[in-house]
Amino acid sequence: MFQPVSLFIGLRYSRSSKGNAFISFISFFSIAGIAIGLMALFTVSSVMNGFENSLKTNMLGLIPHVEVQANKHSSAQMTALKADLERSDYVDHVSLYRHGEAILQTNKDLHGVLLQGLYGDNGSLYKITDKVVQGNWQNVLNNSYNIAISRYLSRKLGVGMGEKLRVIMPNASTYTPLGRVPSQRLFKIAAIYETGSEIDMSLAFTSGTSLQRVLKLNKNTAPNLSVSLHEPFELAQFTKDSQHILRDYQVSDWRSSQGTLFAAVAMEKRIMSMLLGLIVLVAVFNIVSALTMMVSEKQGEVAILQTLGLTPSQVQKVFMVQGLYNGVIGTAIGALLGVLFSLYINELLAAVGLNLLAGVELPVKFDVFSLVFIALSSIAMSFLATLYPARKAAKVKPAEVLRYE
């Protein structure tokens, strides 16, 4: 098959087993360095994406992505707004919703939570039905004064399925002969859920009607709206797209409660990628060193090739091909090892006896765009590393090199 002469010679130089052993040693370690760096980048990126996705599912899946406060608006206005929001391409579902700060009290302990009052199919909206480990979610919604708590709260408060606990609402009061007393009521535990995240420590669920009663709200008080987005990270686009609809309403979103955590995860992911990228950068510098020494060693051959008609531009391409060969091979090996290591990371950790998360497997999620960008960046850095040595080779003067040959 026909090949350009520069490509043919460059590949021959790259595959040649003869020559300076030290140069071959440096070339080998440049390939190995790129492969190891890329494998680490692929693995860390996939695991961090998995953690982020796990947090998004377990935490953002149980709270409203956007909450529209009813305040002084009527039920009819909130119903009309619900219909308008459901027409947005970013919105998955809109439901009626209430919430209030509550204290859960038992004979053993007490604990503060955010008590969410849900209506209708809100359980499927927040994916809570997938997290229920005991009990029946429908009993929470269909029966008065039933509650769903996390397994963590169940253990901390010392209560289980079918038992009762006292729910105290500090922001709602009743007047008694003894003075103002916080509204309170006994609730029956109808379901226990578990997400495995810190949200288990601070969230409980009941029906919207039960919460309305314990909050001492008028029957005509309109509930808030809970908006669930297809992609919670597209919140900014949704806000911009819906600002004309929501301009007269008070709106809060998941960033006010969980934004700091996700910003920290994103920052950690960027810093880890930057630090591991330095491994690839160091390996790329080895390409510069190896090519520079190769140019010095091959000056005689380069001069002979030029006398046979090879132009300086073609000479430059010969050494660019050689450097790129190392970069592409290292990138291909690193990408393959990175994908395989990410796929079987939990099995490999178990095989060597490492138990990082007390039996919990590391989550892995591949972001194809991110992985392709990392691989192309590695090849691009390898290409840039070839420019100086290749240009130096193109400046070789045959007359001076061959003067004493």
Side-chain angles (χ1 to χ4, degrees):
M1 186 177 70
F2 173 77
Q3 285 182 329
V5 65
S6 300
L7 178 62
F8 176 77
I9 297 172
L11 291 176
R12 284 292 298 270
Y13 276 163
S14 301
R15 298 166 183 167
S16 175
S17 58
K18 297 180 180 180
N20 191 310
F22 184 64
I23 296 175
S24 300
F25 177 78
I26 294 179
S27 296
F28 169 78
F29 270 91
S30 67
I31 294 174
I34 292 172
I36 293 172
L38 215 66
M39 181 184 75
L41 270 172
F42 270 44
T43 304
V44 169
S45 176
S46 300
V47 171
M48 291 298 292
N49 285 336
F51 270 122
E52 188 175 62
N53 185 65
S54 178
L55 286 173
K56 184 169 66 174
T57 302
N58 291 333
M59 300 185 71
L60 299 187
L62 298 183
I63 62 175
H65 299 156
V66 179
E67 182 180 353
V68 184
Q69 307 287 341
N71 293 335
K72 297 182 180 180
H73 294 90
S74 66
S75 296
Q77 289 174 312
M78 298 305 288
T79 301
L81 176 62
K82 178 176 180 292
D84 290 336
L85 290 172
E86 285 177 335
R87 286 193 284 270
S88 172
D89 294 334
Y90 298 100
V91 173
D92 180 34
H93 198 87
V94 183
S95 287
L96 303 176
Y97 166 85
R98 295 186 191 277
H99 74 272
E101 295 179 350
I103 297 174
L104 306 183
Q105 183 184 35
T106 64
N107 294 331
K108 181 180 178 181
D109 204 351
L110 53 83
H111 191 87
V113 298
L114 179 69
L115 183 59
Q116 294 192 5
L118 309 183
Y119 294 83
D121 62 346
N122 288 58
S124 60
L125 164 63
Y126 296 127
K127 316 299 182 188
I128 184 64
T129 51
D130 299 334
K131 308 295 182 183
V132 172
V133 292
Q134 291 183 47
N136 189 329
W137 176 255
Q138 291 305 317
N139 289 339
V140 178
L141 296 182
N142 298 334
N143 299 325
S144 297
Y145 305 115
N146 279 8
I147 192 172
I149 63 174
S150 68
R151 178 173 283 175
Y152 167 83
L153 291 175
S154 172
R155 291 170 178 169
K156 185 176 189 296
L157 298 174
V159 288
M161 280 294 304
E163 297 182 323
K164 292 187 176 182
L165 52 75
R166 185 172 298 278
V167 175
I168 304 172
M169 309 300 297
N171 295 327
S173 306
T174 55
Y175 291 93
T176 70
L178 299 177
R180 192 173 181 180
V181 177
S183 176
Q184 51 189 288
R185 181 83 189 209
L186 287 175
F187 276 67
K188 180 182 177 182
I189 298 174
I192 295 176
Y193 73 90
E194 183 175 32
T195 68
S197 66
E198 66 178 28
I199 211 163
D200 288 355
M201 303 168 60
S202 59
L203 206 58
F205 301 91
T206 187
S207 67
T209 305
S210 298
L211 182 59
Q212 181 178 355
R213 290 172 182 169
V214 78
L215 283 172
K216 305 297 182 183
L217 296 176
N218 189 290
K219 290 184 179 180
N220 296 324
T221 303
N224 299 336
L225 291 183
S226 169
V227 182
S228 177
L229 305 179
H230 292 294
E231 174 49 65
F233 291 165
E234 292 181 349
L235 179 62
Q237 295 93 310
F238 164 77
T239 304
K240 183 178 180 180
D241 182 67
S242 306
Q243 58 184 354
H244 64 288
I245 304 175
L246 300 172
R247 62 177 178 270
D248 297 328
Y249 296 85
Q250 183 179 346
V251 179
S252 59
D253 56 63
W254 63 265
R255 291 177 299 189
S256 60
S257 58
Q258 305 297 335
T260 304
L261 173 63
F262 282 90
V265 171
M267 177 64 72
E268 184 178 357
K269 185 165 65 173
R270 285 194 290 268
I271 291 175
M272 289 289 288
S273 297
M274 183 181 68
L275 292 176
L276 291 171
L278 293 177
I279 299 175
V280 178
L281 191 60
V282 170
V284 165
F285 274 111
N286 283 338
I287 293 178
V288 179
S289 304
L291 275 184
T292 302
M293 288 187 286
M294 179 68 76
V295 169
S296 299
E297 185 186 21
K298 300 290 186 181
Q299 279 189 347
E301 296 179 19
V302 169
I304 293 172
L305 289 172
Q306 285 181 313
T307 60
L308 293 175
L310 213 64
T311 64
S313 175
Q314 289 175 313
V315 171
Q316 186 172 355
K317 290 176 183 176
V318 166
F319 289 93
M320 289 172 68
V321 167
Q322 185 178 359
L324 268 177
Y325 178 85
N326 291 348
V328 170
I329 293 298
T331 299
I333 295 173
L336 179 62
L337 291 177
V339 170
L340 291 175
F341 192 79
S342 299
L343 285 173
Y344 298 103
I345 186 169
N346 292 299
E347 289 80 355
L348 291 170
L349 290 176
V352 297
L354 288 177
N355 191 4
L356 300 180
L357 295 174
V360 179
E361 292 188 345
L362 289 175
V364 175
K365 181 184 178 184
F366 292 109
D367 182 352
V368 176
F369 175 80
S370 176
L371 298 184
V372 169
F373 176 78
I374 291 171
L376 291 179
S377 298
S378 172
I379 294 174
M381 284 192 292
S382 301
F383 170 75
L384 293 175
T386 67
L387 295 181
Y388 170 73
R391 189 173 181 181
K392 184 178 178 182
K395 291 181 178 179
V396 170
K397 296 179 180 179
E400 293 183 3
V401 173
L402 300 176
R403 179 181 300 174
Y404 302 107
E405 295 293 331

